[in-house]
Amino acid sequence: MKKLTQRIDKERLLLGVAAPLLAVVAAVVVTALVILATGKNPIDAFSEMGTYGIASDSQVYILNKATTYYLAGVAVAVGFRMNLFNIGVDGQYRLAAFIAAVLGGALTAPGWIAIPLILVCAMATGALWAAIAGVLKVTRGVSEVISTIMLNAIATSIIAYLLQPGQLGQLDPAGTLVSTKPLPQGSHLFNIDTGASGILDGFIFVAVVVGVAYWFTLGRTRFGFDLRTVGLSESAASASGVSVKKMVVTSMIISGGVAGLIGMPTLLNESYQYDNSFPVGIGFTGIAIALLGRNNPVGIALAALLWGFLERSTNHLEFQGYDKEILGVIQGVIVLCVVIAYEVVRRYGLKRQQQRVGAELAAQAAATTENQEVA
Amino acid sequence: MKILYGMQQPDEGTITVNGEQVTFSSPADAIARGIGMVHQHFMLADNLSVLENVVLGAEKLHGIGARARAKITEISDAYGLNVRPDVLVEQLGVADRQRVEILKVLYRGAKTLILDEPTAVLVPQEVEALFDNLRELKAEGLTVIFISHKLGEVLSVADEITVIRRGTTVGTADPRHTTTKQLAELMVGSELPTPETEESTVTDTPLLRVEGLHLSQTDLDGVERIILDRINFTIHKGEVLGIAGVEGNGQSELVEAIMGVRHPDAGVITLGDTDVSHLSTRRRREAGVGYIPEDRHRHGLLLEAPLWENRILGHVSERPNSRGPLLDIKGARADTERIVEAYDVRTPGIDVTAASLSGGNQQKLIVGREMSHEPQLLIAAHPTRGVDVGAQAAIWDHIREARRAGLAVLLISADLDELIGLSDTLRVMYRGRLVADADPATITPEELGSAMTGAAAGHLEGPEQTEDDAR
């Protein structure tokens, strides 16, 4: 009996890996066809990508990118585990980064006070912004998909309004760039200088902590169990005593809180201010990464690294005379394939397990009757 | 019924239409043979007009324009259905929607109509109007198969009655020479369950008191429908209170109100000495309410989660599942092994998903889980539905055993044998009210059956009913 359980476990793991792997393979095939269609050799392109992508300076670049992407993936995954589609991660992190940058610029406290304050402020802003969608959903039945998209647009407008000279923004000496007041030197987060390879953001450690906290909360706490219950079956959850409405708002708040951290590696490790060049659209990247990583803390990390690798290596391809749109093609195909593959594999797995359990039980029953006959 | 409409394949047997033997592999085949079905739950698109709904999927018949409209008006006039083709379905009431469904079927050329519990959603006046429509159809030479639990309605509308119980035909009747009572006898079967030889364990200590429970709901048409009306009862320690009734008369809502999933408009629910009327579902569960839900897939299990996680479901805040805010996975797993052993859940292990178990084994797991937290009150809604005979007996034994230890049980079931065999007290629910009570030691299933259809009320006793003390 034990053996079957183990076998099922092994099989489940295999099936779990199968979907994203299938998607990546399909993406490689489609990309190869696209490169072929443009009249170039795909094998050369892939080998270029490989050698360039794993060079040591690329490694640091990818890790820095992946830090941001990982946080975005986790923020989206918190919602996904609840069957909530938080498209608003994008607006949440931008607004959070902006408010946090304003606060950071105004603070003169030493770094060990200022940095935690900035982080708390960012998380609170993201959480509040997301909570609006959560409250609207449980009180008025507004789909979180619609409300978060609208909140994204509103966030963009609020930032554009406030980020003006005379409001909360200031013009740089050259008169070309509007930004918030830069963070004082003391509020810069530590970096790891790896020499020639570049500078690794210290925030990567925070991302790891977030990942561990995500895993622990979902898998090991009562709260996490309630959250997963709602995601698996809303009706069973409410019959079992989980307040679904409360859970919707809470998970939106958590999702928004994590979203608030997305802009922090950029703010605390790289730009030290919020300006018009602050990265946008990472919330949407997060959706793709959460999908690819199957909402699993390790899976999301792998997906984030893959995303960073793809960006880095296709950037390089552009200089080798390939079309830069290759990146979009690869990413798009991966996401499309992963959604399909995930569902196919899930159904297959469920069915297969049912059959195996049935077969096992039948074998057991046959064995006992045989024994009885012998006796 | 599903077989007749081609939704399912029979293992054996034949269907003959107009003297010709046929097999249906899909509803389309059935429609082609002139068999149409009106489902209990309407299948209409709210945001389309009546015309669009009718032609949807049958565009080839008469197009989608003027020809289709003319045809609809023609059918509507011929059978007095009074359907306006250009109104949006969302603006229609329940009765009108039903007429649209009927028209949809006729439009596709059906000569035989199957109506599945058509009156379940209608108020009495609407039922009368529906019957007039059906008589019209009959007069035009169409055949109608009318499936219903409500005996009075069947008697008033049918020309011939066939009674089906547990999957086999148990008899046919002629409505002109049959009374509701005779029909009820046929329906529930006359054999009595094996009598309870056990002594009563009922004590004087009231455990659950429900007083003046009232619940109403306003439907889409703005008509207020009363779902629960002045419900009063008390269950003592060691007592099993059985509630009989045709499904859809408020039993599910009553259970949900006691569990705290649904909030009644008025009424007090007292568990032991505490008023639990305003407590959350989780608090009520922690206070000692065990719950075997009627739909285990929707309310009792996480189908895609492993068994040990299902063991935690509903009792996440209690030992051995958690310590403080943290889950105790080791404890939960060990206890799942124990339940699997003690309740004879047939499974190769506790890591398989709940979906891979058979219905009976899923139910045994649920019973085991609910019994493992020493409940004071067990709410068992159809505890043995869809469960094989062996598992059924085991579940009954578990309930009896716990009752001896002082457990109070609210039992809701459609299986009258189960109700009479397990209960200490019986109440009958009809249209949201507890209309009759009975002593399971003396009541017969026939009497219970007629009370369930609203034919009898008050205290049911012995073969001759005492109508005097009704209400």
Side-chain angles (χ1 to χ4, degrees):
Chain A
M1 270 214 280
K2 199 133 210 184
K3 254 188 204 146
L4 180 85
T5 323
Q6 278 169 357
R7 216 159 57 218
I8 285 176
D9 268 4
K10 212 182 269 170
E11 213 175 272
R12 196 186 286 166
L13 191 74
L14 206 72
L15 286 173
V17 177
L21 214 61
L22 251 159
V24 171
V25 169
V28 167
V29 172
V30 173
T31 319
L33 291 177
V34 171
I35 297 177
L36 265 181
T38 58
K40 302 207 172 71
N41 186 349
I43 312 263
D44 288 349
F46 289 138
S47 78
E48 277 286 346
M49 279 172 73
T51 42
Y52 184 75
I54 55 169
S56 63
D57 58 335
S58 292
Q59 285 175 14
V60 171
Y61 174 94
I62 291 169
L63 281 175
N64 285 343
K65 275 274 179 196
T67 303
T68 303
Y69 291 162
Y70 185 68
L71 292 166
V74 172
V76 175
V78 171
F80 275 165
R81 287 309 285 263
M82 270 273 308
N83 276 342
L84 278 179
F85 216 128
N86 184 4
I87 294 185
V89 167
D90 206 60
Q92 288 147 24
Y93 93 81
R94 280 186 286 123
L95 195 68
F98 173 73
I99 303 281
V102 170
L103 176 81
L107 279 179
T108 50
W112 61 272
I113 297 178
I115 292 177
L117 266 178
I118 292 171
L119 290 183
V120 167
C121 168
M123 290 180 73
T125 311
L128 270 176
W129 204 241
I132 298 174
V135 169
L136 279 176
K137 185 178 172 76
V138 297
T139 55
R140 312 295 315 164
V142 182
S143 160
E144 77 280 3
V145 175
I146 307 297
S147 58
T148 50
I149 289 176
M150 288 159 92
L151 283 167
N152 281 347
I154 297 172
T156 307
S157 310
I158 291 179
I159 295 170
Y161 173 73
L162 291 177
L163 190 62
Q164 287 182 68
Q167 299 284 353
L168 296 170
Q170 61 182 35
L171 212 57
D172 74 338
T176 52
L177 188 68
V178 185
S179 72
T180 58
K181 191 171 168 218
L183 269 58
Q185 192 69 40
S187 300
H188 296 186
L189 192 67
F190 67 93
N191 281 320
I192 300 162
D193 198 339
T194 57
S197 313
I199 294 163
L200 187 64
D201 291 354
F203 210 80
I204 193 167
F205 294 104
V206 180
V208 171
V209 171
V210 168
V212 172
Y214 171 76
W215 165 79
F216 184 82
T217 310
L218 277 181
R220 291 289 182 275
T221 66
R222 264 166 54 180
F223 171 79
F225 186 82
D226 285 349
L227 191 142
R228 283 187 293 138
T229 306
V230 178
L232 284 169
S233 166
E234 221 170 271
S235 49
S238 73
S240 80
V242 182
S243 164
V244 174
K245 288 186 171 182
K246 217 155 92 190
M247 221 58 207
V248 166
V249 177
T250 317
S251 61
M252 271 316 255
I253 285 175
I254 295 175
S255 180
V258 178
L261 291 176
I262 296 171
M264 293 302 104
T266 313
L267 182 70
L268 296 175
N269 284 118
E270 290 166 22
S271 70
Y272 308 117
Q273 61 185 21
Y274 191 100
D275 54 45
N276 287 330
S277 65
F278 206 83
V280 295
I282 294 171
F284 300 107
T285 312
I287 295 174
I289 288 170
L291 275 176
L292 188 59
R294 303 195 46 183
N295 305 329
N296 176 297
V298 178
I300 299 172
L302 293 176
L305 287 170
L306 176 69
W307 232 244
F309 168 80
L310 286 176
E311 265 176 32
R312 178 70 172 179
S313 51
T314 47
N315 259 340
H316 171 66
L317 277 191
E318 206 184 333
F319 297 110
Q320 306 295 316
Y322 294 93
D323 299 291
K324 67 167 192 280
E325 283 77 14
I326 295 285
L327 173 67
V329 172
I330 302 182
Q331 291 180 339
V333 173
I334 289 182
V335 172
L336 205 62
C337 291
V338 90
V339 173
I340 299 167
Y342 179 74
E343 192 55 28
V344 169
V345 167
R346 191 185 69 89
R347 286 188 194 172
Y348 171 78
L350 214 59
K351 213 168 176 181
R352 185 160 166 76
Q353 198 184 352
Q354 258 164 3
Q355 283 168 352
R356 297 186 73 136
V357 169
E360 178 90 353
L361 288 177
Q364 260 178 42
T368 42
T369 45
E370 221 163 77
N371 284 346
Q372 279 165 354
E373 271 164 23
V374 171
Chain B
M1 186 168 71
K2 278 186 179 164
I3 293 174
L4 211 49
Y5 193 51
M7 284 156 79
Q8 221 168 51
Q9 305 310 312
D11 297 329
E12 258 175 60
T14 55
I15 303 169
T16 311
V17 180
N18 284 336
E20 192 185 338
Q21 196 170 318
V22 291
T23 49
F24 299 140
S25 54
S26 75
D29 288 352
I31 293 168
R33 295 282 176 179
I35 295 180
M37 174 141 168
V38 177
H39 297 268
Q40 188 175 1
H41 303 283
F42 301 147
M43 305 197 172
L44 297 170
D46 273 0
N47 50 353
L48 296 182
S49 73
V50 170
L51 169 74
E52 287 162 337
N53 264 291
V54 172
V55 299
L56 191 67
E59 296 85 352
K60 281 185 191 147
L61 286 178
H62 309 283
I64 57 169
R67 220 148 40 90
R69 179 175 286 108
K71 181 77 186 166
I72 290 173
T73 323
E74 185 196 318
I75 298 175
S76 172
D77 291 345
Y79 303 113
L81 290 175
N82 207 5
V83 166
R84 291 160 294 165
D86 293 310
V87 187
L88 282 187
V89 166
E90 65 181 1
Q91 292 166 350
L92 296 180
V94 182
D96 285 328
R97 286 172 196 228
Q98 191 163 52
R99 279 195 280 273
V100 174
E101 282 280 10
I102 294 174
L103 192 129
K104 233 169 91 178
V105 172
L106 295 174
Y107 185 83
R108 284 156 175 74
K111 295 285 169 231
T112 304
L113 249 70
I114 308 173
L115 296 156
D116 179 14
E117 293 280 348
T119 57
V121 288
L122 302 179
V123 298
Q125 297 86 326
E126 294 169 338
V127 170
E128 263 321 302
L130 172 71
F131 286 177
D132 287 340
N133 289 146
L134 294 184
R135 287 188 193 105
E136 198 86 38
L137 293 172
K138 210 170 76 184
E140 297 289 328
L142 273 71
T143 311
V144 177
I145 302 176
F146 182 90
I147 298 162
S148 177
H149 269 106
K150 299 183 181 168
L151 306 182
E153 293 174 357
V154 174
L155 283 174
S156 82
V157 76
D159 297 308
E160 194 191 321
I161 301 170
T162 300
V163 181
I164 297 180
R165 177 157 48 94
R166 289 192 180 153
T168 52
T169 309
V170 293
T172 53
D174 183 338
R176 276 164 301 183
H177 308 114
T178 315
T179 62
T180 332
K181 207 174 149 208
Q182 286 168 321
L183 206 55
E185 265 171 32
L186 268 177
M187 213 168 104
V188 296
S190 39
E191 81 273 9
L192 274 168
T194 42
E196 275 286 272
T197 46
E198 278 186 55
E199 277 174 37
S200 166
T201 56
V202 183
T203 62
D204 293 336
T205 332
L207 187 79
L208 177 76
R209 273 205 309 273
V210 173
E211 288 156 78
L213 208 60
H214 181 93
L215 177 74
S216 64
Q217 209 170 38
T218 312
D219 67 8
L220 286 173
D221 311 325
V223 181
E224 190 185 313
R225 278 165 210 262
I226 293 172
I227 295 166
L228 294 177
D229 190 17
R230 282 174 282 160
I231 303 278
N232 296 301
F233 62 82
T234 305
I235 310 180
H236 300 88
K237 281 190 176 167
E239 178 181 3
V240 178
L241 175 74
I243 293 194
V246 174
E247 260 169 80
N249 276 291
Q251 299 95 320
S252 317
E253 288 81 3
L254 173 64
V255 166
E256 286 177 357
I258 296 174
M259 283 310 298
V261 178
R262 204 181 265 266
H263 301 287
D265 307 324
V268 181
I269 301 167
T270 320
L271 183 73
D273 302 320
T274 14
D275 178 0
V276 297
S277 316
H278 301 288
L279 290 187
S280 70
T281 306
R282 176 156 291 166
R283 294 276 161 276
R284 293 186 203 197
R285 276 178 171 273
E286 285 167 355
V289 181
Y291 179 30
I292 303 176
E294 63 174 283
D295 185 339
R296 56 180 164 263
H297 287 180
R298 274 172 50 78
H299 297 119
L301 292 170
L302 301 174
L303 287 173
E304 291 183 30
L307 297 190
W308 63 268
E309 287 197 352
N310 274 289
R311 191 256 167 275
I312 300 177
L313 183 70
H315 301 279
V316 68
S317 54
E318 294 160 67
R319 281 175 182 256
N321 298 331
S322 63
R323 283 202 197 112
L326 297 187
L327 290 181
D328 180 357
I329 292 179
K330 226 171 162 185
R333 289 182 66 101
D335 200 58
T336 313
E337 298 275 15
R338 182 190 63 77
I339 291 175
V340 165
E341 195 67 34
Y343 288 81
D344 189 29
V345 181
R346 307 269 165 85
T347 169
I350 59 168
D351 284 301
V352 301
T353 56
S356 47
L357 296 191
S358 71
N361 285 311
Q362 290 174 347
Q363 194 74 353
K364 283 190 275 188
L365 180 75
I366 294 177
V367 173
R369 173 179 79 198
E370 298 304 325
M371 291 299 192
S372 298
H373 292 274
E374 284 150 19
Q376 300 180 55
L377 169 72
L378 178 71
I379 298 178
H382 308 282
T384 59
R385 166 175 289 173
V387 163
D388 58 281
V389 186
Q392 188 176 35
I395 290 170
W396 285 345
D397 283 343
H398 285 300
I399 293 178
R400 287 199 190 109
E401 202 178 305
R403 187 189 70 154
R404 240 175 278 135
L407 176 77
V409 180
L410 176 66
L411 175 70
I412 287 164
S413 181
D415 183 342
L416 299 187
D417 297 350
E418 175 174 274
L419 275 174
I420 295 174
L422 275 183
S423 305
D424 297 301
T425 320
L426 271 174
R427 305 292 284 273
V428 180
M429 200 160 184
Y430 181 67
R431 295 215 166 147
R433 305 183 62 169
L434 294 175
V435 291
D437 58 282
D439 181 352
T442 54
I443 190 89
T444 62
E446 297 82 71
E447 290 167 325
L448 208 52
S450 60
M452 279 163 60
T453 51
H459 184 66
L460 311 169
E461 202 171 0
E464 61 275 337
Q465 257 161 237
T466 41
E467 291 279 8
D468 325 27
D469 57 0
R471 219 143 298 166

